[in-house]
Amino acid sequence: NFFDTAALYGKGESERRVGIALRELKDLLPDDFILNTKVGYRPNPFDYSEEQTLACVEESLRVLGVDRLPMIHIHDVQHSDLPTVMNGARKALHRLQEQGIVGMVGLAAGPIPMMIEYVNTDEFDSILTHNRYTLLDQPASELITLADAKGLGIINGAPFSSGLLARPLDESATYIYRQAEPETIARANRLKEICERHNVSIKAAAIQFSTRDPRIHTTIMGASSAQQIRQSADALAVDIPEEIWGEFHNEVPPK
């Protein structure tokens, strides 16, 4: 019941296509459907001013064909600084919350120390971390623990580390959107070998590493086809023996 998009994705194409789908499938959507989008890349990239944020939300509402956004995140704030974001984008979204146009307001970014700084302002309802809490590496552990203690919604994106954990033997697979280092590829393949000992796919293990954590409320998995979505859904039903998680941790300690 959760769908994630952003003005950044496909230079706006993602929101446009999602809007088409929402209009065509409106009678099939569950009552508790949650649409999440983001501000920070429209009209101008990395402009987190109040004026630009209001303009971005207005355009997202138009393109998506909705009159309310249940959830919205401020995107990639590492391109700015905390005072600018809080006095600009966060202030604008607070106003839209008061008007009922926006529901939950969260933060979506990469660098963990910076996200911790924002979470400690106590001005956010949720966080979206990506590529940093996976079977391979878990630098977001401190952030997730903090956000959980504060009662925030926690969304974990990219459990495949942008591809490597789904296809560790594929030379074209990337790690956090870049070519993986040989040592990282070797660690991913050791994880795959552990999975093979238990007759479990590494894709299923990568997904369930995130979904089995009670602190994480939503796990976002990217897909380029309907088949990939079905494969990810099927992976949730795979029976994974409990002892495998200890083997992962002991044989391929996370960084």
Side-chain angles (χ1 to χ4, degrees):
N1 67 341
F2 182 94
F3 201 96
D4 177 68
T5 184
L8 167 66
Y9 304 154
K11 298 180 179 179
E13 269 296 284
S14 176
E15 282 192 335
R16 188 185 72 83
R17 294 181 185 189
V18 170
I20 292 171
L22 291 177
R23 284 186 282 273
E24 291 183 354
L25 304 174
K26 61 182 179 181
D27 295 332
L28 301 177
L29 295 176
D31 293 337
D32 58 352
F33 178 72
I34 297 173
L35 176 65
N36 177 57
T37 193
K38 307 178 187 76
V39 297
Y41 279 91
R42 182 201 288 134
N44 301 313
F46 317 137
D47 186 333
Y48 299 93
S49 67
E50 187 174 0
E51 179 184 13
Q52 294 288 312
T53 300
L54 293 172
C56 184
V57 172
E58 183 178 2
E59 180 65 5
S60 289
L61 291 169
R62 185 190 71 79
V63 173
L64 291 165
V66 298
D67 54 15
R68 183 180 183 275
L69 292 166
M71 177 177 277
I72 195 163
H73 284 73
I74 305 175
H75 206 177
D76 286 350
V77 292
Q78 65 267 24
H79 297 292
S80 185
D81 58 71
L82 190 143
T84 299
V85 171
M86 298 305 293
N87 293 318
R90 185 63 189 95
K91 184 178 178 181
L93 294 175
H94 180 73
R95 185 196 310 175
L96 294 175
Q97 280 182 298
E98 291 181 333
Q99 296 172 3
I101 297 172
V102 164
M104 295 178 69
V105 171
L107 184 75
I112 300 304
M114 180 206 65
M115 289 193 72
I116 288 174
E117 184 180 15
Y118 276 88
V119 167
N120 279 325
T121 66
D122 294 323
E123 291 292 332
F124 292 92
D125 305 308
S126 61
I127 58 162
L128 195 167
T129 183
H130 63 88
N131 288 292
R132 289 162 175 83
Y133 192 71
T134 72
L135 191 59
L136 191 61
D137 293 317
Q138 294 130 46
S141 293
E142 182 183 355
L143 170 66
I144 290 171
T145 298
L146 175 65
D148 180 60
K150 288 180 175 289
L152 272 64
I154 300 173
I155 303 167
N156 188 35
F160 306 132
S161 295
S162 82
L164 184 61
L165 287 179
R167 310 185 309 278
L169 298 179
D170 185 343
E171 292 184 359
S172 68
T174 57
Y175 176 66
I176 315 185
Y177 316 121
R178 298 181 178 88
Q179 179 62 44
E181 296 290 332
E183 190 242 347
T184 303
I185 294 173
R187 295 178 66 240
N189 279 301
R190 288 202 296 275
L191 291 170
K192 184 174 185 292
E193 290 167 2
I194 295 171
C195 288
E196 289 173 346
R197 292 205 303 258
H198 292 273
N199 295 314
V200 170
S201 76
I202 189 169
K203 185 172 184 177
I207 291 174
Q208 291 195 32
F209 171 80
S210 179
T211 60
R212 73 191 293 271
D213 190 325
R215 302 172 302 171
I216 294 172
H217 304 104
T218 299
T219 299
I220 298 176
M221 293 160 282
S224 59
S225 69
Q227 181 185 15
Q228 288 185 359
I229 294 173
R230 294 188 185 100
Q231 289 172 347
S232 293
D234 290 343
L236 291 170
V238 171
D239 186 18
I240 298 180
E242 188 63 30
E243 63 267 23
I244 200 172
W245 306 110
E247 292 179 31
F248 288 144
H249 188 84
N250 293 330
E251 297 183 33
V252 192
K255 290 189 175 181

